[in-house]
Amino acid sequence: ARVTSAELEPAVLEAAAVFDARALVDPRVRLVRDDARMALRRESARARYDVIVSHPSNPWVTGASALFSVEYFELVRARLAPGGRAVAWVQLYETDRDAVRALTRTFLQVFPWSYAFRPGPASRDLFLLGAVEPTTLPADEAGFERAFTAWQRGASGSTPAAAPTTS
């Protein structure tokens, strides 16, 4: 498996080197120093990914709102391999309920088969998992663990995986 990671903020890359530099030196990882949207646009039109994870800053931060737009989600959709999944990390703190509803509706416009997850009852984060075609998820934690382990071992095929992020 290969991973492409896009990061715009140099301080995030510097922090990564301090906390865990493995991804920065792993030959399977291609680091793109750019905005996730621009990184996807610059990819070949033939580039396809099993998974695209977007971890932008809060939607109200200048520039980050573009990573919660229909145009961005359509670009993500266009770059997904058949059966691919999109994940959007939504930070709930300092974001009002109406904004969360609006960006969730926007995500659903592009990814009609979607799920929303919070890591825990007190979590201030929301993860939107989207697909273009009907999909099912394991109903229990053990099922998620099996699916993740199978994916790590390459059971999902040879299509490269991507994890574009931006600050």
Side-chain angles (χ1 to χ4, degrees):
R2 295 177 294 157
V3 174
T4 299
S5 180
E7 179 53 60
L8 180 62
E9 178 56 50
V12 171
L13 299 174
E14 292 168 16
V18 171
F19 290 102
D20 188 353
R22 287 180 292 179
L24 300 176
V25 297
D26 189 321
R28 298 170 298 172
V29 176
R30 181 173 65 101
L31 183 61
V32 178
R33 293 165 202 237
D34 204 348
D35 171 86
R37 182 174 42 112
M38 294 309 296
L40 282 173
R41 280 187 182 161
R42 289 184 177 111
E43 283 287 327
S44 163
R46 294 184 316 270
R48 295 292 177 265
Y49 300 97
D50 290 326
V51 179
I52 298 177
V53 179
S54 183
H55 177 208
S57 189
N58 292 304
W60 48 263
V61 172
T62 302
S65 61
L67 298 177
F68 292 103
S69 67
V70 168
E71 294 78 14
Y72 174 70
F73 292 138
E74 287 175 341
L75 177 60
V76 168
R77 178 178 163 164
R79 294 292 189 257
L80 287 174
R85 304 288 185 261
V87 179
W89 181 348
V90 181
Q91 299 166 3
L92 298 176
Y93 48 89
E94 299 180 1
T95 304
D96 67 35
R97 188 176 299 225
D98 290 337
V100 173
R101 284 185 181 135
L103 69 90
T104 301
R105 278 193 304 272
T106 301
F107 189 82
L108 284 167
Q109 278 182 266
V110 179
F111 298 104
W113 297 93
S114 296
Y115 298 88
F117 301 92
R118 285 178 59 201
S123 174
R124 303 291 294 165
D125 294 308
L126 178 70
F127 296 95
L128 301 175
L129 172 65
V132 178
E133 64 279 329
T135 184
T136 58
L137 294 174
D140 61 356
E141 189 174 331
F144 277 109
E145 184 64 32
R146 283 191 304 277
F148 183 71
T149 301
W151 174 79
Q152 281 183 313
R153 291 185 180 145
S156 64
S158 60
T159 307
T165 61
T166 188
S167 296

